[in-house]
Amino acid sequence: MKQFHTASQLLLTFTGLVGSSATRFSGLALSSSKRNQHARPRSLLNTVPRGGAEGAFISPALVKDIGITSITYMTADFLSNFLQHPTQKMDYGIFNRLIKREVVKKWWGTRTEHIVGVAGCLAVTDHASQAIFKNMFQKTLSFANSPAAFVAHTFAFIFTGVALYVGADALLNPNHAKGTRMAIFKEEVYNTYVGTNTAWFEPFVPGVLAMVVGSAAASGWLGSSLLPATLAYATVKGVGWNDWGNSGLTEHEVKLSS
């Protein structure tokens, strides 16, 4: 019960703070971020802008979609921690004070940095990849119409998005010792590749869920977007970084969990 209360408190805090900028979007329509149907990125490959919102290279509508997708991925990353570390205590940096945990590092090297950073990178590469595939096939990408292409898209955007994040962390994280940044980047990219190979199942989750609990549940945001992303996060992090149970914990998380 205590774990559930902690999870609920943190989840509400994360979604509240990050989602506050999305409240102006039409009711934060979560259904619009369905994994197999949010493949409608406003073309990232537009020609030279002519002025005005509609002619912008990145339209306000696309920014909205990326924001909603980011919130989905942040929620998935947060929930996946409970699958990977069901009895351990995570270090959420500055948010630790909300759940009466010691704050050692506010941002860098915490789960919060990972949750926000990875989600933002994945949201951008997800929409960009779908736009590229749409331009290639001249139709909206979906698992139902193009299963092989969608699986390729899944691998491509996850690997690219996480690689962008680990690259930024290797470059900017002040905790990395001088002269180690390139070595850290190479190691993290390799871990990213290993982990991404486990996410092949993600597009299949809604279909399997539909057979078990019905199409209505599988077609909603929880079944078509959040659940697949949460499971994928768990396997990518768990296998790529051996981030399971007592493995993959930071020094502070070991202390918190002892």
Side-chain angles (χ1 to χ4, degrees):
M1 181 62 70
K2 187 176 180 180
Q3 279 282 82
F4 176 76
H5 175 73
T6 299
S8 300
Q9 188 177 15
L10 277 171
L11 181 58
L12 289 173
T13 301
F14 275 124
T15 54
L17 290 175
V18 181
S20 62
S21 62
T23 54
R24 65 181 180 277
F25 304 152
S26 53
L28 187 57
L30 295 177
S31 60
S32 69
S33 66
K34 295 177 182 177
R35 282 284 304 125
N36 292 343
Q37 296 179 17
H38 79 144
R40 46 181 175 75
R42 278 61 181 183
S43 181
L44 288 168
L45 307 177
N46 284 342
T47 53
V48 179
R50 300 170 190 159
E54 293 185 359
F57 183 73
I58 299 180
S59 68
L62 175 58
V63 173
K64 166 189 170 181
D65 288 345
I66 291 175
I68 293 174
T69 304
S70 296
I71 292 173
T72 298
Y73 288 150
M74 280 189 286
T75 306
D77 192 355
F78 174 75
L79 294 176
S80 70
N81 288 331
F82 293 91
L83 296 178
Q84 298 166 252
H85 307 282
T87 61
Q88 290 75 25
K89 295 180 179 179
M90 302 293 94
D91 177 14
Y92 291 104
I94 194 171
F95 292 107
N96 281 354
R97 65 186 61 176
L98 298 176
I99 49 178
K100 296 181 172 59
R101 292 178 187 170
E102 180 185 7
V103 177
V104 174
K105 299 173 182 176
K106 293 182 178 180
W107 175 260
W108 296 108
T110 68
R111 299 281 170 169
T112 298
E113 180 208 347
H114 188 278
I115 288 171
V116 176
V118 172
C121 291
L122 285 179
V124 170
T125 58
D126 188 354
H127 285 270
S129 176
Q130 290 187 60
I132 291 171
F133 275 95
K134 182 177 180 180
N135 275 267
M136 288 172 56
F137 295 107
Q138 295 300 307
K139 63 180 180 180
T140 299
L141 180 67
S142 71
F143 184 61
N145 296 331
S146 308
F150 200 89
V151 171
H153 149 74
T154 300
F155 176 87
F157 95 80
I158 292 177
F159 175 78
T160 306
V162 179
L164 282 174
Y165 166 75
V166 300
D169 179 79
L171 178 65
L172 302 173
N173 192 332
N175 297 325
H176 298 321
K178 184 178 181 180
T180 64
R181 295 184 184 277
M182 181 54 68
I184 289 173
F185 173 65
K186 290 178 180 179
E187 180 182 356
E188 293 294 272
V189 168
Y190 175 75
N191 293 338
T192 300
Y193 171 75
V194 173
T196 302
N197 279 294
T198 69
W200 60 267
F201 67 88
E202 185 182 6
F204 296 89
V205 173
V208 174
L209 189 64
M211 292 187 291
V212 177
V213 298
S215 58
S219 62
W221 176 70
L222 289 175
S224 68
S225 181
L226 184 60
L227 178 60
T230 300
L231 296 177
Y233 261 104
T235 61
V236 171
K237 293 189 296 177
V239 176
W241 283 264
N242 192 28
D243 194 17
W244 302 105
N246 289 323
S247 298
L249 300 180
T250 65
E251 291 183 6
H252 187 45
E253 289 173 338
V254 171
K255 178 182 176 181
L256 289 172
S257 302
S258 61

